[in-house]
Amino acid sequence: MTDQAPLVVLATRIYAPEAAAATFRLGALVRSLAGRARVRVLTTTPPSALRPPRATLGGAQGNHPRRSVGMEGNQKRRSVGMEGDGRETSASASADPQVGVSRWPVLRDASGYVRGYLPYLSFDLPLAARLLTGPRPDVVVVEPPPTTGAVTRVALAVRSVLGGPIPYVYYAADVWSDATASMGAPAVVTSLMRTLERFALRGAAGIVAVSDGVAGRVRALAGEDAPVTVVPNGIDTDVFTPEGEQAQEAPGTAYLVYAGTASEWQGAEVFAEAMRRVVREVPGARLVFLGQGSSWPELRRVAGELPEGAIELRPLVPPEEAAAWLRGAAAALVSVRPGVGYDFAYPTKVVAALACGTPVVFAGPGPAAADVREHRLGAAVEHDAGAVAEAMVQALRARPDEPERARRVAWVREHRSLAATGDGAAAVVLGVRG
């Protein structure tokens, strides 16, 4: 690697160690770029629960020393708080010296997530300064929300006045303005979000969409000639494997697992409601939620109305630990609430489970449901508690089938490899650099 290697800057409010689909796909992108470019990630200070302990004369203090990945469990937190001490720090993202991570404190919601207007601004405004003053990039990759894309476009336009244009790639995981409208936001908010999203998309030299559905909506917003490339999300098949340990704290009876964010558009409450029937038909059945999100209070409420232990709410865990939970589960639960702007979403939870050989019970619409049906990867049903309960009962009663387990793993490795995701996105990024 020479000094002439291009500098790629990633601007994202979510990055490791927080567990999210964005973390996986951006990590894959960084790994793919690392052999061909210098990479600098501009991101946030992790939630306090995920930071390593501080070294003192008396030893480590502060946080639990276990390195976990971004999920809140039952801990009580401030509704909004500033994470970090206001200083920007750098750390290597990997053993490759060409990769660095620069973090900045942000506001987070009660679950520890960067979500909401003020948290977004707490990332976007410092980002503008970081883009204007840091090492000059050859290309920038920016993740949603659209406010971040808009800030990136403006900052790079200003910086381009001296030294020529700096292109950027917008990584379109979803279409935020559609989701905002479907959630019943005021018309003025929806209109503003659509304007910002269109502005961010139209300024991009390249756009990576995670599905054909997202690509179609991007073209509807930015124009049919928008430079969109579809690169599906994948999963790390070196971490999510059928081989390995199972979770030591898993229930001693058959259990189901929901691993990941549970917010409005997932509608994970449907699984909790379905447990009312499941525990009658399969006494001793357990449902474990590993995650965070706005649905957590409702999940906790339903759990309190069921037999003790029927539903367990646990914090998010590192990918390796999530894989251990998935390996031992009778099925993994994944959902998309219909009609809220995410019908085209393809949750990474699906491929994470399948890579471990675990079947999926999918509730809701979308391309993931179609894959589950077409390739016999589990059960795909309506987002309805009755239909979901029936599928959950069948999964709990099913006997282990090793050939089927191996077939599911093979399907993921052929169609949803994270390495292929990273290489596809990297090709777009390197293709637009100035």
Side-chain angles (χ1 to χ4, degrees):
M1 184 73 67
T2 71
D3 292 339
Q4 304 306 311
L7 174 61
V8 178
V9 169
L10 272 65
T12 174
R13 77 192 197 285
I14 301 176
Y15 197 67
E18 296 186 68
T23 299
F24 295 136
R25 63 174 171 265
L26 292 177
L29 171 60
V30 167
R31 287 190 292 274
S32 183
L33 288 170
R36 295 170 282 175
R38 295 168 293 144
V39 181
R40 184 170 184 243
V41 183
L42 303 181
T43 189
T44 61
T45 303
S48 58
L50 304 181
R51 292 184 227 146
R54 291 170 293 178
T56 69
L57 292 176
Q61 70 175 31
N63 306 309
H64 194 286
R66 182 175 66 87
R67 177 184 175 272
S68 63
V69 178
M71 297 186 173
E72 292 294 338
N74 300 325
Q75 300 112 327
K76 294 181 180 179
R77 302 179 64 89
R78 297 171 293 173
S79 59
V80 176
M82 182 66 78
E83 297 289 351
D85 57 9
R87 295 175 298 172
E88 185 170 1
T89 60
S90 296
S92 175
S94 70
D96 195 319
Q98 299 287 354
V99 179
V101 180
S102 174
R103 299 187 181 274
W104 193 262
V106 293
L107 296 171
R108 293 179 178 270
D109 68 12
S111 67
Y113 201 58
V114 184
R115 181 176 183 272
Y117 304 125
L118 288 178
Y120 294 157
L121 284 175
S122 74
F123 174 70
D124 294 338
L125 295 181
L127 174 65
R130 297 162 82 185
L131 289 171
L132 287 168
T133 61
R136 181 182 176 85
D138 292 286
V139 60
V140 173
V141 181
V142 59
E143 271 272 324
T147 54
T148 305
V151 165
T152 297
R153 180 177 179 180
V154 171
L156 295 183
V158 171
R159 188 154 188 178
S160 295
V161 172
L162 297 176
I166 301 172
Y168 69 90
V169 173
Y170 192 90
Y171 213 131
D174 43 34
V175 179
W176 283 58
S177 52
D178 287 356
T180 302
S182 66
M183 291 295 183
V188 65
V189 173
T190 299
S191 178
L192 176 61
M193 184 65 70
R194 199 172 300 281
T195 298
L196 288 171
E197 193 158 28
R198 184 180 291 113
F199 178 76
L201 290 168
R202 286 182 173 174
I207 301 169
V208 177
V210 300
S211 70
D212 291 330
V214 172
R217 288 301 303 143
V218 164
R219 293 189 181 98
L221 271 176
E224 287 300 320
D225 60 345
V228 185
T229 301
V230 176
V231 180
N233 282 338
I235 198 68
D236 189 340
T237 53
D238 291 329
V239 172
F240 291 88
T241 68
E243 301 86 15
E245 295 181 355
Q246 297 186 8
Q248 294 181 355
E249 299 179 14
T253 185
Y255 70 93
L256 305 162
V257 64
Y258 180 102
T261 301
S263 61
E264 293 94 338
W265 71 267
Q266 283 100 0
E269 299 92 332
V270 71
F271 298 118
E273 290 292 342
M275 280 296 288
R276 300 181 191 276
R277 171 179 164 187
V278 172
V279 294
R280 293 196 302 267
E281 299 194 26
V282 187
R286 296 290 184 265
L287 167 53
V288 178
F289 285 92
L290 304 172
Q292 65 178 6
S294 56
S295 295
W296 226 242
E298 178 63 14
L299 296 175
R300 189 175 291 114
R301 183 191 67 80
V302 177
E305 297 174 356
L306 291 171
E308 184 176 358
I311 294 179
E312 184 179 356
L313 302 177
R314 303 178 66 89
L316 273 177
V317 294
E320 295 82 1
E321 198 169 328
W325 281 93
L326 288 166
R327 286 186 199 107
L333 309 181
V334 188
S335 57
V336 172
R337 189 192 300 275
V340 295
Y342 284 87
D343 287 11
F344 49 72
Y346 201 116
T348 305
K349 302 177 187 71
V350 173
V351 289
L354 296 173
C356 295
T358 303
V360 171
V361 172
F362 190 95
D371 273 350
V372 170
R373 291 191 189 98
E374 180 180 352
H375 301 287
R376 297 178 290 111
L377 303 173
V381 299
E382 298 298 317
H383 194 274
D384 168 81
V388 166
E390 183 175 348
M392 290 165 68
V393 168
Q394 290 178 357
L396 288 164
R397 289 175 173 170
R399 294 184 177 182
D401 189 328
E402 289 305 317
E404 280 298 292
R405 191 178 188 88
R407 187 182 63 81
R408 289 188 287 266
V409 172
W411 184 88
V412 171
R413 291 179 176 174
E414 179 179 355
H415 298 284
R416 292 284 174 169
S417 161
L418 190 60
T421 297
D423 290 345
V428 176
V429 172
L430 295 177
V432 305
R433 71 183 179 89

